[in-house]
Amino acid sequence: PEVGQAYRDALARWRGRLIEALTAAGAPDPIGLALLALLAAEGAWRVGHGAPSLIPPGDALPTVRALLHRLGGAPR
């Protein structure tokens, strides 16, 4: 239970920081985009560890940033 709570707390803090950054960048939907970024990054981490050949090292962050940029959420 303690590990699960620490994980949930960390994700909540990360989401909060993303919302702040996206709001500051003038994103059209900072709450939705923050969730999308969190899900994409967490998914990339899991896929990268479970099937590392699918995500070459260093590719996940630029991919998530590009996705947010295309949705109007962040500068490149």
Side-chain angles (χ1 to χ4, degrees):
E2 294 87 14
V3 172
Q5 188 60 55
Y7 177 71
R8 288 186 294 276
D9 291 346
L11 289 178
R13 283 191 306 274
W14 188 15
R15 181 177 172 266
R17 289 183 188 137
L18 287 166
I19 290 169
E20 289 175 8
L22 290 162
T23 299
D29 178 13
I31 294 171
L33 288 173
L35 178 59
L36 175 66
L38 184 71
L39 294 172
E42 181 68 11
W45 185 85
R46 288 176 185 255
V47 171
H49 281 81
S53 64
L54 295 178
I55 302 178
D59 277 7
L61 181 58
T63 300
V64 172
R65 282 184 174 158
L67 175 62
L68 289 175
H69 176 75
R70 285 184 199 113
L71 295 172
R76 282 190 179 233

